[in-house]
Amino acid sequence: SYEHGNYYDAVITSVNRLRRNTDNKKSTETLQSAYPMAVRYYEDKANAAISSNVQFKWREVVQHYTTLQSMHDEIQRSPGALRVIPNPTNYQAKLADARQKAAEESYNAGIMALGAGDRVSAKNAYYLFINANEYAPGYRDVAKKIEEARWAATIKVAVDPIPVVAKNYALDAHYFD
């Protein structure tokens, strides 16, 4: 994985091998090389996403910080890996901040979509509000907005009984109901 540039997999594989055998020399060397490369790669990707102007950039930032935090957590749970990387960087604060911004981004897009007034936009708004709630549970009034978008996206069908006056038939109109 390391030789193919997949630093995250190289880190995770090395940590798992060090969890089984704390003296695995190849895994120790790979982890020493792969962890700094993985951190630099994902931090660069997160910073590039932050400085971009794409619509849902904070979703991408959340993905990158989640990957970085995952590496931190895996190293913390492996005594062998902790000997190789004694102080892995904790990204919990940056991840929490990015989640809040991703929730705000999805919430605002949902408000815009709901304001369009058509059913397709209301469906999109519903999923955007769901995303906002996943990033930051209970964000603003997102639960109310989810229900509002669901109501606006739902097709309402009314069934009214058809008045049937049967003079030539012995059937009752309730039969047709």
Side-chain angles (χ1 to χ4, degrees), residues 19-65:
R19 195 174 279 136
R20 288 190 299 264
N21 178 8
T22 59
D23 296 328
N24 189 323
K25 185 176 181 179
K26 185 175 180 181
S27 295
T28 299
E29 291 171 359
T30 302
L31 183 58
Q32 283 175 336
S33 302
Y35 181 72
M37 297 291 285
V39 167
R40 186 175 64 200
Y41 175 77
Y42 286 107
E43 280 184 346
D44 288 348
K45 295 284 275 181
N47 290 333
I50 290 169
S51 64
S52 73
N53 289 327
V54 296
Q55 184 178 10
F56 295 110
K57 68 181 180 181
W58 288 104
R59 289 181 185 184
E60 186 177 346
V61 173
V62 167
Q63 289 175 345
H64 297 311
Y65 283 147

Side-chain angles (χ1 to χ4, degrees), residues 105-170:
E105 180 178 71
S106 291
Y107 181 86
N108 291 338
I111 294 291
M112 295 282 290
L114 193 58
D118 62 292
R119 183 174 169 269
V120 173
S121 296
K123 284 171 49 175
N124 290 335
Y126 172 80
Y127 291 113
L128 288 165
F129 290 135
I130 292 289
N131 283 340
N133 198 40
E134 288 172 357
Y135 286 122
Y139 184 78
R140 292 189 189 173
D141 60 344
V142 74
K144 179 180 153 214
K145 292 295 184 183
I146 288 171
E147 290 305 315
E148 188 178 329
R150 181 184 302 169
W151 177 256
T154 302
I155 296 176
K156 290 116 185 126
V157 179
V159 179
D160 290 331
I162 301 171
V164 177
V165 180
K167 293 181 183 178
N168 298 335
Y169 300 105

Side-chain angles (χ1 to χ4, degrees), residues 1-13:
S1 294
Y2 177 75
E3 291 171 1
H4 290 100
N6 193 342
Y7 306 122
Y8 175 77
D9 282 347
V11 168
I12 298 303
T13 303

Side-chain angles (χ1 to χ4, degrees), residues 171-177:
L171 297 174
D172 188 5
H174 294 291
Y175 173 80
F176 293 106
D177 291 340

